[in-house]
Amino acid sequence: MRRRGRKSRYIHKNIRRIVLIALVVILGSVVLRTGGSFLRQSRSLLSGVNQADTSLGWNLILVNGDYAIPDDYELELTELSNGKKVDSRIYPDLQEMFDDARLGGLHLFVREGYRTWEEQQAIMDERIEEYKKEGYSKQEAKKLAEEYVAEPGTSEHQLGIAVDINADTSGSSSDEVYTWLDENAYKYGFIKRYPPDKTEITGVNNEPWHYRYVGEEAAKEMKDKNLCLEEYIGQLKP
Ligand SMILES: [Zn+2]
């Protein structure tokens, strides 16, 4: 066989170069396409969920299974004496409510305040694991967990204007604390966010410990007319 001439070697080298460039281009586009679909996927995790409306003011933002916290939501936090954090804007009223409850002889504490997205996700994951340990399939476990835990982005705790209040049971019973809150929280701008007679509307089971700040005016009207936040907001909007 005749050895290839200089011209043939030159062509051969160029073909190799073209093949190499083509490979890089093809590989690159595969990587880009994978990256693209990954981004879309992570965003569509909350598909079907609109961003919450902030036009009525920070205290009347409605966050639930249908409305997620806006991406650009900003808040400033104040740390409580037990390390829990709340939105600084609700702190004075929260403190006053606790001072008055304690003057009335109640023993209570903020069990949960502000939560980060990661903390909400961890709570969800933990609950799913618990159901899986009970023998449910991954899919069933997720569905069950979602009945009790809000999906990240849809929990009021991520807003910092909701608190879970528990009794310190060495001094008060849960009943005593929940009853006092039910009767008095509105005076300080807080509402029982998930009452037992509104589960159909809120989509959340009775939570006598979860209080949400809406401000005194709204809280009083909601208390007087027995409206949950979804109903109250619906009434404000045309
Ligand atoms: Zn809560």
Side-chain angles (χ1 to χ4, degrees):
M1 217 167 79
R2 201 159 63 93
R3 281 192 66 185
R4 276 181 298 210
R6 184 179 286 183
K7 194 175 169 194
S8 147
R9 269 209 302 276
Y10 176 76
I11 292 170
H12 191 75
K13 215 168 142 190
N14 265 319
I15 289 176
R16 267 212 313 229
R17 198 174 291 163
I18 288 164
V19 167
L20 209 75
I21 290 168
L23 259 173
V24 167
V25 168
I26 291 167
L27 265 173
S29 80
V30 166
V31 169
L32 278 176
R33 225 175 293 154
T34 319
S37 78
F38 176 72
L39 279 176
R40 269 198 300 279
Q41 225 171 33
S42 60
R43 251 184 251 129
S44 69
L45 276 176
L46 281 172
S47 67
V49 180
N50 299 304
Q51 294 220 336
D53 178 15
T54 52
S55 66
L56 293 172
W58 64 272
N59 55 317
L60 291 178
I61 184 171
L62 176 65
V63 165
N64 57 24
D66 296 322
Y67 296 100
I69 297 166
D71 293 336
D72 56 357
Y73 192 78
E74 280 178 9
L75 70 164
E76 201 186 297
L77 296 165
T78 293
E79 193 169 328
L80 308 177
S81 56
N82 69 355
K84 299 293 173 190
K85 296 183 184 116
V86 295
D87 186 306
S88 302
R89 293 169 290 195
I90 77 164
Y91 176 72
D93 286 335
L94 181 68
Q95 189 58 55
E96 199 189 341
M97 180 165 79
F98 268 64
D99 288 346
D100 288 350
R102 284 171 177 148
L103 271 174
L106 286 174
H107 297 251
L108 72 179
F109 67 102
V110 172
R111 167 85 192 257
E112 186 76 309
Y114 171 73
R115 259 183 224 150
T116 64
W117 180 291
E118 288 74 22
E119 284 165 339
Q120 188 66 27
Q121 184 69 59
I123 289 168
M124 176 67 90
D125 293 345
E126 215 172 283
R127 190 60 82 93
I128 292 172
E129 278 312 306
E130 276 170 28
Y131 283 121
K132 273 161 69 181
K133 266 184 214 151
E134 284 175 27
Y136 291 100
S137 73
K138 194 176 162 185
Q139 217 175 359
E140 287 167 336
K142 190 168 181 290
K143 226 180 135 198
L144 278 167
E146 281 168 4
E147 280 180 33
Y148 294 94
V149 183
E151 276 206 67
T154 69
S155 167
E156 284 194 337
H157 285 287
Q158 291 177 250
L159 288 172
I161 58 176
V163 282
D164 291 340
I165 301 168
N166 280 189
D168 172 356
T169 49
S170 64
S172 296
S173 71
S174 294
D175 257 4
E176 284 172 315
V177 168
Y178 296 157
T179 303
W180 188 90
L181 288 170
D182 192 18
E183 288 168 0
N184 296 284
Y186 76 94
K187 298 172 192 164
Y188 308 88
F190 288 87
I191 53 153
K192 182 161 75 175
R193 179 68 178 88
Y194 308 115
D197 57 335
K198 304 287 183 184
T199 56
E200 290 282 311
I201 302 166
T202 62
V204 178
N205 290 315
N206 178 29
E207 287 194 359
W209 54 83
H210 182 107
Y211 276 79
R212 154 70 197 266
Y213 189 81
V214 291
E216 271 176 54
E217 195 191 327
K220 186 172 186 318
E221 193 179 339
M222 288 166 72
K223 177 79 178 164
D224 287 347
K225 297 183 179 168
N226 188 33
L227 301 172
C228 66
L229 189 58
E230 279 81 0
E231 290 173 310
Y232 181 74
I233 301 280
Q235 185 188 264
L236 290 181
K237 284 185 177 173

